[in-house]
Amino acid sequence: MPECTAFSASELLLNNIPMRTGIHLEPETVARLSAIQNIVNINDSSGSFDNIKSYLEKSDPEFAVLAGTDSLIYSTLEAGGKGAIAATARDFGVSPDDMELLIDAAAKLQGF
């Protein structure tokens, strides 16, 4: 499997967006992919917190799990996720800097 990343020196982001792609990235698959050096994170837009928890439990500890569903950002951070790729920023004009401040503030308040 590492051969698939040999063509890119860049860090790679996995996207789980089953409602758009018709394909769901299973936690076991993501766990295997998380062991590959330049695959560094996954954005989960499945809308399932159970799925996010499974990614966190099964993946390499250095692998970043990101919420792709805005309503799950806080829960994802609380469970050990590293951030979000938020539609709020795109749809409502919230700047990436403001989103970062929001996520950082939530993390500091809760101690995670």
Side-chain angles (χ1 to χ4, degrees):
M1 189 172 9
E3 297 83 22
C4 69
T5 63
F7 298 104
S8 175
S10 300
E11 293 180 340
L12 303 175
L13 161 75
L14 301 174
N15 267 301
N16 186 43
I17 312 173
M19 68 284 280
R20 301 269 189 245
T21 64
I23 298 169
H24 171 70
L25 292 174
E26 295 293 333
E28 294 77 14
T29 302
V30 172
R32 289 182 58 209
L33 291 169
S34 76
I36 299 172
Q37 184 176 1
N38 62 327
I39 299 178
V40 297
N41 52 26
I42 186 165
N43 173 51
D44 183 77
S45 296
S46 69
S48 167
F49 184 60
D50 287 338
N51 195 61
I52 288 171
K53 286 193 304 187
S54 291
Y55 288 155
L56 289 164
E57 291 166 2
K58 295 178 185 219
S59 296
D60 187 276
E62 297 300 312
F63 186 73
V65 177
L66 308 173
T69 303
D70 288 8
S71 62
L72 296 178
I73 293 172
Y74 184 81
S75 299
T76 299
L77 292 171
E78 192 172 42
K82 303 292 189 225
I85 296 178
T88 304
R90 181 196 69 223
D91 295 343
F92 299 104
V94 177
S95 77
D97 290 339
D98 287 342
M99 252 345 255
E100 182 179 13
L101 288 171
L102 178 66
I103 289 171
D104 287 347
K108 286 177 186 169
L109 281 172
Q110 293 302 314
F112 49 83

